[in-house]
Amino acid sequence: MRVIVYERHHHWVPFIMTLPTGIAQADDRLIDERLAQSDFVLLTLTGNRGNWPYDHQLRERRQATLAWCESHLEDIRTFTVEGETMKLFVRR
């Protein structure tokens, strides 16, 4: 999934994707740092898609990441895409 935004004043808004860092597992501190630097976080709450080591790592961290997002970011919306429940957070 990739986030693409066309702003209401008819300008494309560029995003720098900070997570995932690749297909290998990343240091948990790096993931935490990248979360803290993020303006938006799109968190998948259900499902087990993705078979790369990084995918497994994020699934294991799912509840901790959700708790971090709920305490540091604003919850914008919960929605479903292809049967998976996702939550969008934005920096306050």
Side-chain angles (χ1 to χ4, degrees):
M1 176 174 279
R2 181 167 189 127
V3 177
I4 300 173
V5 175
Y6 189 66
E7 201 261 349
R8 65 187 166 120
H9 296 291
H10 309 289
H11 297 281
W12 289 104
V13 178
F15 281 94
I16 298 171
M17 305 298 279
T18 59
L19 290 170
T21 60
I23 63 170
Q25 282 193 347
D27 184 272
D28 283 333
R29 289 177 297 173
L30 176 61
I31 293 173
D32 293 337
E33 288 171 13
R34 298 263 176 109
L35 279 172
Q37 295 168 359
S38 297
D39 293 318
F40 298 91
V41 173
L42 181 62
L43 183 61
T44 304
L45 301 177
T46 61
N48 293 312
R49 293 185 190 205
N51 293 315
W52 298 110
Y54 183 81
D55 298 320
H56 295 287
Q57 180 183 16
L58 285 190
R59 281 194 294 273
E60 291 170 7
R61 291 178 44 107
R62 188 180 281 161
Q63 291 305 314
T65 302
L66 176 60
W68 185 91
C69 288
E70 289 176 336
S71 65
H72 292 90
L73 304 172
E74 182 179 348
D75 182 350
I76 297 297
R77 180 164 304 182
T78 301
F79 55 95
T80 302
V81 175
E82 294 187 14
E84 306 295 348
T85 302
M86 300 183 174
K87 212 175 237 303
L88 177 63
F89 294 91
V90 65
R91 184 187 304 262
R92 291 186 173 116

